[in-house]
Amino acid sequence: MWKDFSRTALLALITRTTLTVAAPGPTTYNSTNSPDYVIIGGGPAGFVLAEQLSRNANTTVVLLEAGPENAGVEDIDVPGYAPRALNTQHAWNYTSQPDPNLNGNGPALDQGRGFGGGSAINYLGACRGAPSVFDEWADISGDDGLRWESFLNDFKSTVHFTDVPLDYDPHVNSSAYGDGPLELTAPDDNLGFVEGWISALTSTLNLPWTDLNDGTGLGVSSSVNTIRSSNRTRDFAPQAYGWQLAGRRNAQQLHDAEVTKIGFNGKRATSVTYVNPNDGTTQTLNPKEIILTAGALNSPKLLMLSGVGPADHLKSLGIPIVADIPQIGQNL
């Protein structure tokens, strides 16, 4: 289970594509407090896992998201409005520590908040990265499941590419895409000066104009985006996966459900406590398994608040120690 979860979460983090739910959802779990799975974090990884696990009608799944539902929000749906979603309720408005190389400024580290996570507020570009990076991860970890070839079918299973009439050749390799629910398209406008810039780069640097999602790894691309062909709005996790979940009695998607603690019995995680930030009500679930998909910052943050992390740091904050794991919260 852990290896499968890691690959799926990592896949969602790399692609940073957009996934959300269209219909209003509840904020309180209204069934047994002992579901099979509780998934913490309603970003791409959380939605993919919730959809796949709940395909078994006998398996109960609860997806918890701290932020709002994010349905019907113009600043999210309209691609050109993406910058306006930052510094709002739709983003965790984190900043890094002051950097002396930036004259003491702390760069913004915005993280998606609400259904869809980062896929709701990103700038919609879908790029998988270079195969050499995946292969290096596999070499370092000793896990061949992290190699590019192992990931490729997973990538393809989450997306489909839709051709639209264009006045240029986007150099898209259709074999790099499958029949998954997330829609990808090429920019539909005349590229203008960008096309000339691409031509200059390809000729000067002797690089191909290519589709970087097919494993080429090195070249120039005019991009592939998570934008629907029908109305040119953002496609993201809740819209790609949330509708399947909404039709299943064994699955629930809860927004405005901020997890404050993972409870442990010894070294085993046994409970999840969450609060509705709008009215302060709390609820505790006791699932058979807990999956943490809260992102690169909030996942280690929640673990540390729950007593898992560097012991000296947790003691200084008065947090009881469950497991001393110094690496958690490091190496960002």
Side-chain angles (χ1 to χ4, degrees), residues 214-296:
D214 67 3
T216 301
L218 187 63
V220 183
S221 173
S222 53
S223 82
V224 173
N225 304 314
T226 54
I227 297 178
R228 294 187 188 87
S229 59
S230 59
N231 58 12
R232 305 307 294 173
T233 59
R234 179 191 296 268
D235 197 10
F236 64 130
Q239 293 165 343
Y241 290 90
W243 64 271
Q244 295 102 312
L245 296 174
R248 297 172 183 169
R249 296 173 60 87
N250 61 317
Q252 289 199 40
Q253 313 162 65
L254 307 185
H255 58 84
D256 294 305
E258 182 174 351
V259 175
T260 56
K261 185 178 181 179
I262 298 173
F264 287 83
N265 182 3
K267 302 294 184 182
R268 179 175 174 79
T270 56
S271 67
V272 173
T273 299
Y274 69 91
V275 60
N276 182 326
N278 298 320
D279 60 18
T281 58
T282 62
Q283 188 167 359
T284 297
L285 305 179
N286 300 283
K288 295 178 181 176
E289 293 196 42
I290 299 167
I291 301 175
L292 183 54
T293 62

Coordinates of all heavy atoms in Angstrom, one line a residue, residues 214-296:
D214 N 6.4 13.2 -23.5 CA 6.6 11.8 -24.1 C 7.9 11.2 -23.7 O 8.2 10.1 -24.2 CB 6.4 11.9 -25.6 CG 7.5 12.6 -26.3 OD1 8.5 13.1 -25.7 OD2 7.5 12.8 -27.6
G215 N 8.7 11.8 -22.9 CA 9.9 11.3 -22.4 C 11.1 11.8 -23.2 O 12.3 11.4 -22.9
T216 N 10.9 12.8 -24.1 CA 12.1 13.4 -24.8 C 13.0 14.0 -23.8 O 14.2 13.8 -23.9 CB 11.6 14.4 -25.8 OG1 10.7 13.8 -26.7 CG2 12.7 15.0 -26.6
G217 N 12.5 14.8 -22.9 CA 13.3 15.3 -21.8 C 14.1 16.6 -22.1 O 14.3 17.4 -21.2
L218 N 14.4 16.8 -23.3 CA 15.2 18.0 -23.7 C 14.7 18.5 -25.0 O 14.7 17.8 -26.0 CB 16.7 17.6 -23.8 CG 17.7 18.8 -23.9 CD1 17.6 19.7 -22.7 CD2 19.1 18.3 -24.2
G219 N 14.3 19.8 -25.0 CA 13.8 20.4 -26.2 C 13.0 21.7 -25.9 O 13.1 22.2 -24.8
V220 N 12.3 22.2 -26.8 CA 11.4 23.3 -26.7 C 10.0 23.0 -26.9 O 9.7 22.2 -27.8 CB 11.8 24.4 -27.7 CG1 11.0 25.7 -27.4 CG2 13.3 24.7 -27.6
S221 N 9.1 23.5 -26.0 CA 7.7 23.1 -26.1 C 6.8 24.3 -26.1 O 7.1 25.3 -25.3 CB 7.3 22.2 -25.0 OG 5.9 21.9 -25.0
S222 N 5.7 24.3 -26.8 CA 4.7 25.4 -26.7 C 3.7 25.1 -25.6 O 2.7 25.8 -25.5 CB 4.0 25.6 -28.1 OG 3.5 24.4 -28.6
S223 N 3.8 24.0 -24.9 CA 3.1 23.6 -23.7 C 1.8 22.9 -24.1 O 1.2 23.0 -25.1 CB 2.7 24.8 -22.9 OG 1.5 25.5 -23.3
V224 N 1.4 22.1 -23.1 CA 0.1 21.4 -23.1 C -0.5 21.8 -21.8 O 0.1 21.8 -20.7 CB 0.3 19.9 -23.1 CG1 -1.0 19.1 -22.9 CG2 0.9 19.4 -24.5
N225 N -1.8 22.1 -21.8 CA -2.5 22.7 -20.6 C -3.7 21.9 -20.2 O -4.4 21.3 -21.0 CB -2.9 24.2 -20.9 CG -1.7 25.0 -21.4 OD1 -0.7 25.0 -20.8 ND2 -1.9 25.8 -22.5
T226 N -4.0 22.1 -18.9 CA -5.2 21.4 -18.4 C -6.4 22.4 -18.6 O -7.0 22.9 -17.6 CB -5.0 21.1 -16.9 OG1 -4.7 22.3 -16.2 CG2 -4.0 20.1 -16.7
I227 N -6.8 22.6 -19.8 CA -7.9 23.4 -20.2 C -8.8 22.6 -21.1 O -8.4 22.0 -22.1 CB -7.4 24.7 -21.0 CG1 -6.5 25.5 -20.0 CG2 -8.5 25.5 -21.5 CD1 -5.8 26.7 -20.7
R228 N -10.1 22.7 -20.8 CA -11.1 22.0 -21.6 C -11.2 22.6 -23.0 O -11.2 23.8 -23.2 CB -12.5 22.1 -21.0 CG -12.6 21.4 -19.6 CD -14.0 21.4 -19.2 NE -14.2 20.9 -17.8 CZ -14.0 21.7 -16.7 NH1 -13.8 23.0 -16.9 NH2 -14.2 21.2 -15.6
S229 N -11.4 21.7 -24.0 CA -11.6 22.2 -25.4 C -12.9 22.8 -25.6 O -13.1 23.7 -26.5 CB -11.4 21.0 -26.3 OG -12.3 20.0 -26.1
S230 N -13.9 22.4 -24.9 CA -15.3 22.8 -25.1 C -15.6 24.3 -24.8 O -16.3 25.0 -25.5 CB -16.3 22.0 -24.4 OG -16.1 22.0 -23.0
N231 N -15.0 24.8 -23.6 CA -15.3 26.1 -23.2 C -14.1 26.9 -22.7 O -14.2 28.0 -22.1 CB -16.4 26.1 -22.1 CG -16.0 25.3 -20.9 OD1 -14.8 24.8 -20.7 ND2 -16.9 25.0 -20.0
R232 N -12.9 26.3 -22.8 CA -11.6 26.9 -22.5 C -11.6 27.2 -21.0 O -11.0 28.3 -20.6 CB -11.3 28.1 -23.3 CG -11.3 27.8 -24.8 CD -10.4 26.6 -25.2 NE -9.0 26.9 -25.0 CZ -8.0 26.0 -25.1 NH1 -8.3 24.7 -25.5 NH2 -6.8 26.3 -24.9
T233 N -12.1 26.4 -20.1 CA -12.0 26.6 -18.7 C -11.1 25.6 -18.1 O -10.8 24.6 -18.7 CB -13.4 26.5 -18.0 OG1 -14.0 25.2 -18.2 CG2 -14.3 27.6 -18.5
R234 N -10.7 25.8 -16.9 CA -9.7 24.9 -16.2 C -10.4 23.6 -15.9 O -11.5 23.5 -15.5 CB -9.3 25.6 -14.8 CG -8.4 24.7 -14.0 CD -8.2 25.3 -12.6 NE -7.6 26.6 -12.6 CZ -6.3 26.8 -12.4 NH1 -5.5 25.8 -12.3 NH2 -5.9 28.1 -12.4
D235 N -9.6 22.5 -16.2 CA -10.0 21.2 -15.8 C -9.0 20.8 -14.6 O -7.8 21.0 -14.7 CB -9.9 20.2 -16.9 CG -10.6 18.9 -16.6 OD1 -11.4 18.9 -15.6 OD2 -10.5 17.9 -17.4
F236 N -9.6 20.3 -13.5 CA -8.8 20.0 -12.4 C -9.4 18.8 -11.6 O -10.4 18.3 -11.9 CB -8.4 21.2 -11.6 CG -9.6 21.9 -10.9 CD1 -9.5 22.2 -9.5 CD2 -10.7 22.3 -11.6 CE1 -10.5 22.9 -8.9 CE2 -11.7 23.0 -11.0 CZ -11.7 23.3 -9.6
A237 N -8.7 18.4 -10.5 CA -9.0 17.2 -9.8 C -10.5 17.0 -9.5 O -11.0 15.9 -9.8 CB -8.2 17.0 -8.6
P238 N -11.2 17.9 -8.9 CA -12.6 17.6 -8.5 C -13.4 17.4 -9.7 O -14.4 16.6 -9.7 CB -13.0 18.8 -7.7 CG -11.7 19.5 -7.3 CD -10.7 19.2 -8.4
Q239 N -13.2 18.1 -10.8 CA -14.0 18.0 -12.0 C -13.7 16.7 -12.7 O -14.5 16.1 -13.4 CB -13.9 19.2 -12.8 CG -14.4 20.4 -12.2 CD -14.0 21.7 -12.8 OE1 -13.0 21.7 -13.6 NE2 -14.7 22.8 -12.5
A240 N -12.4 16.3 -12.7 CA -12.0 15.1 -13.4 C -12.4 13.8 -12.6 O -12.7 12.8 -13.2 CB -10.5 15.1 -13.6
Y241 N -12.3 13.9 -11.2 CA -12.6 12.7 -10.4 C -13.7 12.8 -9.5 O -14.3 11.8 -9.0 CB -11.3 12.4 -9.6 CG -10.2 11.8 -10.5 CD1 -9.2 12.7 -11.0 CD2 -10.0 10.5 -10.8 CE1 -8.2 12.2 -11.8 CE2 -9.0 10.0 -11.5 CZ -8.1 10.9 -12.1 OH -7.1 10.4 -12.9
G242 N -14.1 14.1 -9.1 CA -15.1 14.2 -8.1 C -16.5 13.7 -8.5 O -17.3 13.2 -7.6
W243 N -16.8 13.8 -9.8 CA -18.2 13.3 -10.2 C -18.3 11.8 -10.0 O -19.4 11.4 -9.7 CB -18.4 13.8 -11.6 CG -17.6 13.1 -12.7 CD1 -16.4 13.6 -13.1 CD2 -17.8 11.9 -13.4 NE1 -15.8 12.8 -14.0 CE2 -16.7 11.7 -14.2 CE3 -18.8 11.0 -13.4 CZ2 -16.6 10.6 -15.1 CZ3 -18.7 9.9 -14.2 CH2 -17.6 9.7 -15.1
Q244 N -17.2 11.1 -10.2 CA -17.3 9.6 -9.9 C -17.6 9.4 -8.5 O -18.5 8.5 -8.1 CB -16.1 8.9 -10.4 CG -15.8 8.9 -11.8 CD -14.7 10.0 -12.2 OE1 -14.8 11.1 -11.7 NE2 -13.7 9.6 -13.0
L245 N -16.9 10.1 -7.6 CA -17.1 9.9 -6.2 C -18.5 10.3 -5.7 O -19.1 9.7 -4.9 CB -16.0 10.7 -5.4 CG -14.6 10.4 -5.6 CD1 -13.7 11.4 -4.9 CD2 -14.3 9.0 -5.1
A246 N -19.0 11.4 -6.3 CA -20.3 11.9 -5.9 C -21.4 10.9 -6.2 O -22.5 10.9 -5.5 CB -20.6 13.2 -6.6
G247 N -21.2 10.0 -7.1 CA -22.2 9.0 -7.4 C -22.1 7.7 -6.7 O -22.8 6.7 -7.0
R248 N -21.2 7.6 -5.7 CA -20.9 6.4 -5.0 C -21.3 6.5 -3.5 O -20.8 7.4 -2.8 CB -19.4 6.0 -5.1 CG -19.0 5.7 -6.5 CD -17.5 5.5 -6.6 NE -17.1 5.3 -8.0 CZ -15.8 5.3 -8.4 NH1 -14.8 5.5 -7.5 NH2 -15.6 5.1 -9.7
R249 N -22.2 5.6 -3.0 CA -22.7 5.7 -1.6 C -21.5 5.4 -0.7 O -21.6 5.8 0.5 CB -23.8 4.7 -1.5 CG -25.0 5.0 -2.3 CD -26.1 3.9 -2.2 NE -26.5 3.7 -0.8 CZ -27.5 4.4 -0.2 NH1 -28.1 5.3 -0.9 NH2 -27.9 4.1 1.0
N250 N -20.5 4.7 -1.1 CA -19.4 4.3 -0.2 C -18.3 5.4 -0.1 O -17.3 5.1 0.5 CB -18.8 3.0 -0.7 CG -18.2 3.1 -2.1 OD1 -18.8 3.7 -3.0 ND2 -17.1 2.5 -2.3
A251 N -18.5 6.5 -0.8 CA -17.4 7.6 -0.8 C -18.0 8.9 -0.4 O -19.1 9.3 -0.8 CB -16.8 7.7 -2.1
Q252 N -17.3 9.7 0.4 CA -17.7 11.0 0.8 C -16.5 12.0 0.6 O -15.4 11.6 0.9 CB -18.2 11.1 2.2 CG -19.5 10.5 2.4 CD -20.2 10.9 3.7 OE1 -20.2 12.1 4.0 NE2 -20.8 10.0 4.4
Q253 N -16.8 13.2 0.1 CA -15.8 14.2 -0.1 C -16.2 15.4 0.8 O -17.3 16.0 0.6 CB -15.8 14.7 -1.5 CG -15.8 13.7 -2.6 CD -16.2 14.2 -3.9 OE1 -15.6 15.0 -4.5 NE2 -17.3 13.7 -4.4
L254 N -15.4 15.7 1.8 CA -15.7 16.7 2.8 C -14.8 17.9 2.6 O -13.6 17.7 2.8 CB -15.7 16.2 4.2 CG -16.5 14.9 4.5 CD1 -16.4 14.6 6.0 CD2 -17.9 15.0 4.1
H255 N -15.3 19.1 2.3 CA -14.5 20.3 2.3 C -14.7 21.0 3.6 O -15.5 20.6 4.4 CB -14.9 21.2 1.1 CG -16.3 21.6 1.1 ND1 -16.8 22.6 1.8 CD2 -17.4 21.0 0.4 CE1 -18.1 22.8 1.6 NE2 -18.5 21.8 0.8
D256 N -13.9 22.0 3.9 CA -14.0 22.7 5.2 C -13.8 21.7 6.3 O -14.5 21.8 7.3 CB -15.3 23.5 5.3 CG -15.3 24.7 4.3 OD1 -14.4 25.5 4.3 OD2 -16.3 24.8 3.6
A257 N -12.9 20.8 6.2 CA -12.7 19.8 7.2 C -11.2 19.7 7.4 O -10.5 18.9 6.8 CB -13.2 18.4 6.7
E258 N -10.7 20.6 8.2 CA -9.2 20.7 8.5 C -8.8 19.8 9.6 O -9.2 19.9 10.7 CB -8.9 22.2 8.9 CG -7.4 22.4 9.1 CD -7.0 23.9 9.3 OE1 -7.9 24.7 9.2 OE2 -5.9 24.1 9.7
V259 N -7.9 18.8 9.2 CA -7.4 17.8 10.1 C -6.4 18.5 11.0 O -5.4 19.2 10.6 CB -6.8 16.7 9.4 CG1 -6.1 15.7 10.4 CG2 -7.8 15.9 8.5
T260 N -6.6 18.4 12.3 CA -5.7 19.0 13.3 C -4.8 18.0 14.0 O -3.8 18.3 14.5 CB -6.6 19.7 14.4 OG1 -7.5 18.7 15.0 CG2 -7.3 20.8 13.8
K261 N -5.2 16.7 13.9 CA -4.3 15.7 14.6 C -4.6 14.3 14.0 O -5.8 13.9 13.7 CB -4.6 15.7 16.1 CG -3.7 14.8 16.9 CD -4.0 14.9 18.4 CE -3.0 13.9 19.1 NZ -3.3 14.0 20.6
I262 N -3.5 13.5 13.9 CA -3.6 12.1 13.7 C -3.3 11.4 15.0 O -2.3 11.7 15.6 CB -2.6 11.6 12.6 CG1 -2.9 12.3 11.2 CG2 -2.7 10.1 12.4 CD1 -1.9 12.0 10.2
G263 N -4.3 10.6 15.5 CA -4.1 9.9 16.8 C -3.4 8.6 16.6 O -3.5 7.9 15.5
F264 N -2.6 8.2 17.6 CA -1.8 7.0 17.5 C -2.1 6.1 18.7 O -2.3 6.6 19.8 CB -0.3 7.3 17.5 CG 0.2 7.9 16.2 CD1 0.0 9.2 15.9 CD2 0.8 7.1 15.2 CE1 0.5 9.8 14.7 CE2 1.2 7.6 14.0 CZ 1.1 9.0 13.8
N265 N -2.0 4.8 18.5 CA -2.0 3.8 19.5 C -0.6 3.1 19.4 O -0.4 2.3 18.5 CB -3.1 2.8 19.3 CG -3.1 1.7 20.4 OD1 -2.3 1.8 21.3 ND2 -4.0 0.7 20.3
G266 N 0.3 3.6 20.3 CA 1.7 3.2 20.1 C 2.2 3.8 18.8 O 2.2 5.0 18.7
K267 N 2.7 3.0 17.9 CA 3.3 3.5 16.7 C 2.3 3.5 15.5 O 2.6 3.8 14.4 CB 4.6 2.8 16.3 CG 5.7 2.8 17.3 CD 6.2 4.2 17.5 CE 7.4 4.2 18.5 NZ 7.9 5.5 18.7
R268 N 1.1 3.0 15.8 CA 0.1 2.8 14.7 C -0.9 4.0 14.7 O -1.5 4.3 15.7 CB -0.6 1.5 14.9 CG -1.7 1.3 13.8 CD -2.3 -0.1 13.9 NE -3.4 -0.2 13.0 CZ -3.3 -0.5 11.7 NH1 -2.1 -0.7 11.2 NH2 -4.3 -0.6 10.9
A269 N -1.1 4.6 13.5 CA -2.0 5.7 13.4 C -3.4 5.1 13.4 O -3.7 4.1 12.6 CB -1.8 6.4 12.1
T270 N -4.3 5.6 14.3 CA -5.6 5.0 14.5 C -6.8 5.9 14.3 O -7.9 5.5 14.2 CB -5.7 4.3 15.9 OG1 -5.4 5.3 16.8 CG2 -4.7 3.2 16.0
S271 N -6.6 7.2 14.4 CA -7.7 8.2 14.3 C -7.3 9.5 13.6 O -6.1 9.8 13.5 CB -8.2 8.5 15.7 OG -7.3 9.2 16.5
V272 N -8.3 10.2 13.2 CA -8.2 11.5 12.5 C -9.2 12.4 13.1 O -10.4 12.1 13.1 CB -8.4 11.4 11.0 CG1 -8.4 12.7 10.4 CG2 -7.3 10.5 10.3
T273 N -8.7 13.5 13.6 CA -9.6 14.6 14.2 C -9.6 15.8 13.2 O -8.5 16.3 12.9 CB -9.2 15.0 15.6 OG1 -9.3 13.8 16.4 CG2 -10.1 16.1 16.1
Y274 N -10.7 16.2 12.9 CA -10.8 17.4 12.0 C -11.8 18.4 12.5 O -12.7 18.1 13.3 CB -11.2 17.0 10.6 CG -12.6 16.5 10.3 CD1 -13.6 17.4 10.0 CD2 -12.8 15.1 10.4 CE1 -14.9 16.9 9.7 CE2 -14.1 14.7 10.2 CZ -15.1 15.5 9.8 OH -16.4 15.1 9.6
V275 N -11.6 19.7 12.1 CA -12.5 20.8 12.6 C -13.0 21.5 11.4 O -12.4 21.6 10.3 CB -11.7 21.7 13.5 CG1 -10.5 22.3 12.7 CG2 -12.5 22.9 14.0
N276 N -14.3 21.9 11.5 CA -14.8 22.8 10.5 C -14.5 24.2 10.8 O -14.9 24.7 11.8 CB -16.4 22.6 10.4 CG -17.0 23.5 9.4 OD1 -16.6 24.6 9.0 ND2 -18.1 23.0 8.8
P277 N -13.6 24.9 10.0 CA -13.1 26.2 10.4 C -14.2 27.3 10.4 O -14.0 28.4 10.9 CB -12.1 26.5 9.3 CG -12.4 25.7 8.1 CD -13.1 24.4 8.7
N278 N -15.4 27.0 9.8 CA -16.4 27.9 9.7 C -17.2 28.0 11.0 O -17.7 29.1 11.4 CB -17.4 27.6 8.6 CG -16.7 27.7 7.2 OD1 -15.8 28.6 7.0 ND2 -16.9 26.8 6.3
D279 N -17.4 26.9 11.7 CA -18.2 26.9 12.9 C -17.5 26.3 14.1 O -18.0 26.3 15.2 CB -19.5 26.2 12.7 CG -19.4 24.7 12.3 OD1 -18.3 24.2 12.5 OD2 -20.4 24.2 11.8
G280 N -16.3 25.8 13.9 CA -15.5 25.3 15.1 C -15.8 23.9 15.5 O -15.3 23.4 16.5
T281 N -16.8 23.2 14.9 CA -17.2 21.9 15.3 C -16.1 20.9 14.9 O -15.4 21.0 13.9 CB -18.5 21.4 14.7 OG1 -18.3 21.5 13.2 CG2 -19.6 22.3 15.1
T282 N -15.9 19.9 15.8 CA -14.8 18.9 15.5 C -15.5 17.5 15.4 O -16.6 17.2 16.0 CB -13.8 18.9 16.6 OG1 -14.4 18.5 17.9 CG2 -13.1 20.2 16.8
Q283 N -14.8 16.6 14.8 CA -15.2 15.2 14.7 C -14.0 14.3 14.5 O -13.0 14.7 13.9 CB -16.1 15.0 13.5 CG -16.8 13.6 13.4 CD -17.9 13.6 12.3 OE1 -18.2 14.6 11.7 NE2 -18.5 12.4 12.2
T284 N -14.1 13.1 15.1 CA -13.0 12.2 15.1 C -13.4 10.9 14.4 O -14.5 10.4 14.7 CB -12.5 11.8 16.5 OG1 -11.9 13.0 17.1 CG2 -11.4 10.8 16.4
L285 N -12.6 10.5 13.4 CA -12.9 9.2 12.7 C -11.9 8.2 13.1 O -10.7 8.6 13.4 CB -12.9 9.5 11.2 CG -13.8 10.6 10.6 CD1 -13.6 10.7 9.1 CD2 -15.2 10.3 10.9
N286 N -12.3 6.9 13.0 CA -11.4 5.8 13.4 C -11.3 4.8 12.2 O -11.9 3.7 12.3 CB -11.9 5.2 14.7 CG -11.9 6.1 15.8 OD1 -10.9 6.4 16.4 ND2 -13.2 6.6 16.1
P287 N -10.6 5.2 11.2 CA -10.6 4.3 10.0 C -9.6 3.2 10.2 O -8.8 3.1 11.1 CB -10.0 5.3 8.9 CG -9.1 6.2 9.7 CD -9.8 6.4 11.0
K288 N -9.7 2.2 9.3 CA -8.8 1.1 9.3 C -7.4 1.6 8.8 O -6.4 1.1 9.2 CB -9.3 0.0 8.4 CG -10.6 -0.7 8.9 CD -11.1 -1.8 8.0 CE -12.4 -2.4 8.5 NZ -13.0 -3.4 7.5
E289 N -7.4 2.5 7.8 CA -6.2 3.0 7.3 C -6.3 4.5 7.0 O -7.4 5.0 6.7 CB -5.8 2.3 5.9 CG -5.4 0.8 6.1 CD -4.7 0.3 4.9 OE1 -3.8 1.0 4.4 OE2 -5.0 -0.8 4.5
I290 N -5.1 5.2 7.2 CA -5.1 6.6 7.0 C -4.0 6.9 5.9 O -2.9 6.4 6.0 CB -4.7 7.4 8.3 CG1 -5.7 7.1 9.4 CG2 -4.5 8.9 8.1 CD1 -5.3 7.5 10.8
I291 N -4.4 7.8 5.0 CA -3.5 8.1 3.9 C -3.3 9.6 3.9 O -4.3 10.4 3.8 CB -4.0 7.6 2.5 CG1 -4.2 6.1 2.5 CG2 -3.0 8.1 1.4 CD1 -4.8 5.6 1.2
L292 N -2.1 10.1 4.0 CA -1.8 11.5 4.1 C -1.3 12.0 2.7 O -0.3 11.7 2.2 CB -0.7 11.7 5.1 CG -0.3 13.2 5.4 CD1 -1.5 14.0 5.8 CD2 0.7 13.2 6.6
T293 N -2.2 12.9 2.1 CA -1.8 13.5 0.8 C -2.0 15.0 0.9 O -2.7 15.6 0.0 CB -2.7 12.9 -0.3 OG1 -4.1 13.2 0.0 CG2 -2.6 11.4 -0.4
A294 N -1.5 15.6 1.9 CA -1.7 17.1 2.1 C -0.7 18.0 1.5 O -0.7 19.2 1.8 CB -1.8 17.3 3.7
G295 N 0.2 17.5 0.7 CA 1.1 18.3 0.0 C 2.5 18.4 0.7 O 2.7 17.8 1.8
A296 N 3.4 19.0 0.0 CA 4.8 19.0 0.4 C 5.1 19.8 1.8 O 6.0 19.5 2.5 CB 5.7 19.6 -0.7

